Amino acid sequence: FNALHLIHVLCFDYLCMQAIQGNDITVKSYKVESRITLRFAHTTVKSSVVNSGPNAQSIGFNVQIPKRAFINNFTMNVNGITFVGSVKEKTMARKLYAQARARGKAAGIVRTNSQAMETFRTEVHVPPGSKVEFELHYQEMMQRKLGVYQHTLHLQPGRLVPLLQVDVYIFEPKGIKFVTASNTLGEQLADLTKISHTKEKAHIVFKPTLQQQRKCENCTESAVDGVFTVKYDVERESNVSDGHFIQFFAPSDLSPLSKNIVFVIDVSGSMWGLKMKQTVEAMKAILDDLSMDDYFSIIDFNHNVRCWSEDLVQASSLQVDEAKKYVQSIKPNGGTNINEALLRAVQMLVRASNQGLIDPRSVSMIILVSDGDPTVGEIKLSTIQKNVKRVMREEFSLFSLGIGFDVDFDFLERMAMDNRGVAQRIYANHDAAEQLKTFYSQVSSPLLRSITIHFPANAVNNVTQNRFDKFFSGSELIVAGKLQPSDLTTLQSFTTAAAANMDLNIQTEADIRELDSVLGTHQHSFTGFARQMWAYITVNQLLAERSVAPTASKKRKITQRILALALEHQFVTPLTAMLVEGHDQGRPERLIADSPRDSKHGCCSGTKSKPLSILQKLVYSNPPWLLPTVALNPNEVAGEHESIIPEHITVDSDPHFIIHLPKNNMDICFNTDSKPGHILNLISDPGTGVTINGQLVGSKKMKNNKIQTYFGTISIYSKTDSVQVINYPSKYSSLHYAKLLLIRIRVTIVKEQHVTVTIDGKISVMVLLHRVWKKHPVQVDFLGIYMSSDNKYSTQVHGLIGQFAQEPKVKVYGVHEGADPKKKEATMEVKGNKLAVTRGWQKDYRHDKKRGSDVYCWFIHNSGKGFIDGSYTSYILPQLDSFLTAI
């Protein structure tokens, strides 16, 4: 048992992985149970696992949870020794952890990330024969969107399980309108979900047998891999329980309010390619959705700001068609001037309002779509936020959509919350257009303005937000609070709002004791739901207030309130941590738990269907005894990070390829004349399951009538391990130094310098960060990639670099003076071709990132034509994890 080590990590939703990981293990059971009472869900995930192999090994337990959920309990039992978690204030948790270490006993911290905490991951290293039981609890409030509540559970057991069961219990005392469990797990499992449903209760159960789980009749792989989804809607009234009240408000059958919308679209160089294509596709659909009562305009911006129309225009079919043509013609290039674009949008709405063109009962909004931080004009984020808030009127709202992970999402979110809107991240993948359209559909039909829900002053206290700027069709407004001690038997509420053609005044009344008596007879209701739900809503609202607090004093007061509630209700929040300790049973316990450092950017590639993406933000801080193979090298600790790449192949700058041919004892260089957004394949090796691709970004503006391109994203994907390492320049500042081990893969990360990935000890790749001055008029941050010429690929390897694993014969002759006296010219014979080549040099930046060192090489013209197989365009792929097809 002395060998027991534990790592806890809270990472992110797209880091999809098997729920149970390890070799030679037996999963006895995997159970998920959700109890949803009046839209508040308490979910428990349990699994029992045995290390049935002959050796000690790590067993992984991974649970994906919704972004808005709070973990509130975790326990683990290893061979009869129980480890339990309790929520502490972060500083206190770290102090207790340090004290435990000082006593020769290890404890652990599980802490959340300020942006999100989407995947809970645990690894425990145990001897052979060990039995491990995991149990995780989390709570969340269901959000109504487009008329339905959707409860999602990620089911990825990763193997066949003798007892696999999912139970979802729904209790809505006012009545359930409908409940469905759509098949999202594949045709094979379509008829295995059973629903029993009465007026107030529903039970959804999914319990496939071992044989039903198989991908085929004799397969040993599980077909259970995806999202289990339950959708439902309810009748609604006020509800009182356990000294707390919950008021739900979602009127229907109202005429929509007219809209005044300014679409503000980022068309900088980084939007080139798929991002722009998807944005244009979404915008055309959104414009078609506008009604004749709506008014709109479009602003697109890079380093300049352009208006399709300087004033709002009516959404007639003629104007919509003209706007669609304009959007279709946009060509991304240049920098990003968010500040001026938003100020122009506000000015447009203010001018229309001053001229009496805006209906007083209409809704005015700005919808911003951007994929990067500002680089032109005002670039200080706090100043932009203040500038926008200063000019925005109370009747205007700002909605921010951040595409991908190069944008500071925290900034977009703060700015939206500051101006009565919301922000959403759009994942830059094949369905980005659908994500944009779905978001718009949620805000496209406003039904009410200026909603207030209030209660008698002597009846309630600690009321959550009760004034709302807008109510959109298909959504729901929720107000919660505490009841004051009194002899009242009913609670009254009064709601006022402005609709399209009238002002509403609604009065409701709820029995104070009725719900508690009903809950007491219901077996699967979530006890104490009203108390937890009030705390959940309050903590989330306080976290939002804290992010936009105008002063440090105000922020401290809000922080104190959040801490008090989180500790009382045992919520893991950005300000609290879960301390995990083992009960001593006469044997030493060794436990360490940690999580990523907070990051304002998020972490991942843009697709939920992708496998585990290990990124720079996963930083482990382990004691030397935990995993000796990842202990820090003294030189590395001191900042002397040795390059692991000896004789090498290089792709750097804009981008220059340097191919080292050891048998010929020479270096060959070539460039590619590609475009921003293109994804180039560097290595494609079906034999080892490895593909390495790079996506190009463009310079901020043209130089010599040409957009320069650089690698802005490098993806290293191992299909065998279902692991993808994706590198973005914006992520290198969020880490210090770390080594990560994942079975066959090692990732070494050095802050602001490089990331090195080694796969099975045979393939080594170093990705080097190049920073440029943020206000540089042309250049952008970019990445260089260095690979060992000794990498061991299979015979199937290909790609712009991979094809040279089988070194071709090269003959250079006829060396003579060239037009440039510093550069000799010659003829090269290679692959049956005779090529005119020039002697020159390129830069290797591994040891000197500023100046680089010169590498003399023979330069192949015309994008490597004749040296590489086929044309460079044959190496352009659709996605970062794609493999190359035949050339």
PDB file of all heavy atoms in Angstrom, residues 801-814:
ATOM      1  N   ILE A 801       7.096  16.547 -43.948  1.00  0.00           N
ATOM      2  CA  ILE A 801       8.343  16.149 -43.284  1.00  0.00           C
ATOM      3  C   ILE A 801       8.490  14.634 -43.267  1.00  0.00           C
ATOM      4  O   ILE A 801       9.567  14.088 -43.506  1.00  0.00           O
ATOM      5  CB  ILE A 801       8.381  16.711 -41.848  1.00  0.00           C
ATOM      6  CG1 ILE A 801       8.507  18.244 -41.878  1.00  0.00           C
ATOM      7  CG2 ILE A 801       9.522  16.100 -41.050  1.00  0.00           C
ATOM      8  CD1 ILE A 801       8.425  18.893 -40.523  1.00  0.00           C
ATOM      9  N   GLY A 802       7.392  13.934 -42.998  1.00  0.00           N
ATOM     10  CA  GLY A 802       7.451  12.481 -42.792  1.00  0.00           C
ATOM     11  C   GLY A 802       8.006  11.714 -43.962  1.00  0.00           C
ATOM     12  O   GLY A 802       8.648  10.661 -43.777  1.00  0.00           O
ATOM     13  N   GLN A 803       7.807  12.206 -45.188  1.00  0.00           N
ATOM     14  CA  GLN A 803       8.288  11.475 -46.358  1.00  0.00           C
ATOM     15  C   GLN A 803       9.807  11.330 -46.380  1.00  0.00           C
ATOM     16  O   GLN A 803      10.344  10.442 -47.048  1.00  0.00           O
ATOM     17  CB  GLN A 803       7.821  12.175 -47.640  1.00  0.00           C
ATOM     18  CG  GLN A 803       8.330  13.590 -47.806  1.00  0.00           C
ATOM     19  CD  GLN A 803       7.659  14.307 -48.978  1.00  0.00           C
ATOM     20  OE1 GLN A 803       7.957  14.018 -50.128  1.00  0.00           O
ATOM     21  NE2 GLN A 803       6.740  15.219 -48.644  1.00  0.00           N
ATOM     22  N   PHE A 804      10.513  12.201 -45.609  1.00  0.00           N
ATOM     23  CA  PHE A 804      11.978  12.157 -45.621  1.00  0.00           C
ATOM     24  C   PHE A 804      12.553  11.242 -44.545  1.00  0.00           C
ATOM     25  O   PHE A 804      13.759  11.186 -44.350  1.00  0.00           O
ATOM     26  CB  PHE A 804      12.539  13.575 -45.509  1.00  0.00           C
ATOM     27  CG  PHE A 804      12.126  14.444 -46.662  1.00  0.00           C
ATOM     28  CD1 PHE A 804      11.164  15.423 -46.492  1.00  0.00           C
ATOM     29  CD2 PHE A 804      12.653  14.234 -47.922  1.00  0.00           C
ATOM     30  CE1 PHE A 804      10.744  16.202 -47.550  1.00  0.00           C
ATOM     31  CE2 PHE A 804      12.245  15.012 -48.996  1.00  0.00           C
ATOM     32  CZ  PHE A 804      11.285  16.003 -48.817  1.00  0.00           C
ATOM     33  N   ALA A 805      11.646  10.500 -43.827  1.00  0.00           N
ATOM     34  CA  ALA A 805      12.139   9.447 -42.930  1.00  0.00           C
ATOM     35  C   ALA A 805      12.860   8.376 -43.742  1.00  0.00           C
ATOM     36  O   ALA A 805      13.801   7.747 -43.259  1.00  0.00           O
ATOM     37  CB  ALA A 805      10.972   8.843 -42.147  1.00  0.00           C
ATOM     38  N   GLN A 806      12.379   8.147 -44.971  1.00  0.00           N
ATOM     39  CA  GLN A 806      13.101   7.310 -45.931  1.00  0.00           C
ATOM     40  C   GLN A 806      13.925   8.268 -46.787  1.00  0.00           C
ATOM     41  O   GLN A 806      13.418   8.861 -47.739  1.00  0.00           O
ATOM     42  CB  GLN A 806      12.123   6.509 -46.792  1.00  0.00           C
ATOM     43  CG  GLN A 806      11.150   5.643 -46.002  1.00  0.00           C
ATOM     44  CD  GLN A 806      11.852   4.550 -45.223  1.00  0.00           C
ATOM     45  OE1 GLN A 806      12.840   3.984 -45.710  1.00  0.00           O
ATOM     46  NE2 GLN A 806      11.366   4.246 -44.026  1.00  0.00           N
ATOM     47  N   GLU A 807      15.195   8.438 -46.428  1.00  0.00           N
ATOM     48  CA  GLU A 807      15.994   9.507 -47.030  1.00  0.00           C
ATOM     49  C   GLU A 807      16.253   9.262 -48.511  1.00  0.00           C
ATOM     50  O   GLU A 807      16.754   8.198 -48.897  1.00  0.00           O
ATOM     51  CB  GLU A 807      17.320   9.639 -46.281  1.00  0.00           C
ATOM     52  CG  GLU A 807      18.143  10.831 -46.735  1.00  0.00           C
ATOM     53  CD  GLU A 807      19.367  11.042 -45.847  1.00  0.00           C
ATOM     54  OE1 GLU A 807      19.295  10.696 -44.643  1.00  0.00           O
ATOM     55  OE2 GLU A 807      20.372  11.548 -46.359  1.00  0.00           O
ATOM     56  N   PRO A 808      15.905  10.227 -49.375  1.00  0.00           N
ATOM     57  CA  PRO A 808      16.161  10.048 -50.810  1.00  0.00           C
ATOM     58  C   PRO A 808      17.636  10.284 -51.140  1.00  0.00           C
ATOM     59  O   PRO A 808      18.364  10.930 -50.389  1.00  0.00           O
ATOM     60  CB  PRO A 808      15.278  11.138 -51.433  1.00  0.00           C
ATOM     61  CG  PRO A 808      15.229  12.218 -50.395  1.00  0.00           C
ATOM     62  CD  PRO A 808      15.253  11.514 -49.067  1.00  0.00           C
ATOM     63  N   LYS A 809      18.048   9.754 -52.281  1.00  0.00           N
ATOM     64  CA  LYS A 809      19.400  10.047 -52.750  1.00  0.00           C
ATOM     65  C   LYS A 809      19.415  11.432 -53.365  1.00  0.00           C
ATOM     66  O   LYS A 809      18.545  11.783 -54.156  1.00  0.00           O
ATOM     67  CB  LYS A 809      19.843   9.010 -53.786  1.00  0.00           C
ATOM     68  CG  LYS A 809      20.070   7.619 -53.203  1.00  0.00           C
ATOM     69  CD  LYS A 809      20.559   6.652 -54.270  1.00  0.00           C
ATOM     70  CE  LYS A 809      20.807   5.271 -53.674  1.00  0.00           C
ATOM     71  NZ  LYS A 809      21.276   4.306 -54.725  1.00  0.00           N
ATOM     72  N   VAL A 810      20.445  12.207 -52.997  1.00  0.00           N
ATOM     73  CA  VAL A 810      20.542  13.588 -53.474  1.00  0.00           C
ATOM     74  C   VAL A 810      21.935  13.810 -54.047  1.00  0.00           C
ATOM     75  O   VAL A 810      22.942  13.440 -53.423  1.00  0.00           O
ATOM     76  CB  VAL A 810      20.274  14.598 -52.331  1.00  0.00           C
ATOM     77  CG1 VAL A 810      20.432  16.023 -52.843  1.00  0.00           C
ATOM     78  CG2 VAL A 810      18.889  14.382 -51.744  1.00  0.00           C
ATOM     79  N   LYS A 811      21.974  14.416 -55.219  1.00  0.00           N
ATOM     80  CA  LYS A 811      23.266  14.742 -55.842  1.00  0.00           C
ATOM     81  C   LYS A 811      23.248  16.205 -56.243  1.00  0.00           C
ATOM     82  O   LYS A 811      22.308  16.662 -56.901  1.00  0.00           O
ATOM     83  CB  LYS A 811      23.508  13.865 -57.072  1.00  0.00           C
ATOM     84  CG  LYS A 811      24.831  14.137 -57.775  1.00  0.00           C
ATOM     85  CD  LYS A 811      24.982  13.239 -58.991  1.00  0.00           C
ATOM     86  CE  LYS A 811      26.291  13.545 -59.725  1.00  0.00           C
ATOM     87  NZ  LYS A 811      26.428  12.711 -60.957  1.00  0.00           N
ATOM     88  N   VAL A 812      24.242  16.971 -55.791  1.00  0.00           N
ATOM     89  CA  VAL A 812      24.363  18.383 -56.129  1.00  0.00           C
ATOM     90  C   VAL A 812      25.638  18.578 -56.938  1.00  0.00           C
ATOM     91  O   VAL A 812      26.721  18.129 -56.536  1.00  0.00           O
ATOM     92  CB  VAL A 812      24.396  19.261 -54.861  1.00  0.00           C
ATOM     93  CG1 VAL A 812      24.576  20.737 -55.224  1.00  0.00           C
ATOM     94  CG2 VAL A 812      23.111  19.078 -54.049  1.00  0.00           C
ATOM     95  N   TYR A 813      25.519  19.248 -58.094  1.00  0.00           N
ATOM     96  CA  TYR A 813      26.700  19.462 -58.929  1.00  0.00           C
ATOM     97  C   TYR A 813      26.539  20.778 -59.694  1.00  0.00           C
ATOM     98  O   TYR A 813      25.467  21.408 -59.679  1.00  0.00           O
ATOM     99  CB  TYR A 813      26.899  18.299 -59.894  1.00  0.00           C
ATOM    100  CG  TYR A 813      25.712  18.040 -60.817  1.00  0.00           C
ATOM    101  CD1 TYR A 813      25.623  18.672 -62.062  1.00  0.00           C
ATOM    102  CD2 TYR A 813      24.693  17.164 -60.430  1.00  0.00           C
ATOM    103  CE1 TYR A 813      24.539  18.440 -62.897  1.00  0.00           C
ATOM    104  CE2 TYR A 813      23.609  16.931 -61.254  1.00  0.00           C
ATOM    105  CZ  TYR A 813      23.528  17.572 -62.496  1.00  0.00           C
ATOM    106  OH  TYR A 813      22.461  17.333 -63.305  1.00  0.00           O
ATOM    107  N   GLY A 814      27.615  21.163 -60.381  1.00  0.00           N
ATOM    108  CA  GLY A 814      27.583  22.391 -61.179  1.00  0.00           C
ATOM    109  C   GLY A 814      27.470  23.637 -60.329  1.00  0.00           C
ATOM    110  O   GLY A 814      26.753  24.585 -60.693  1.00  0.00           O
TER     111      GLY A 814
END
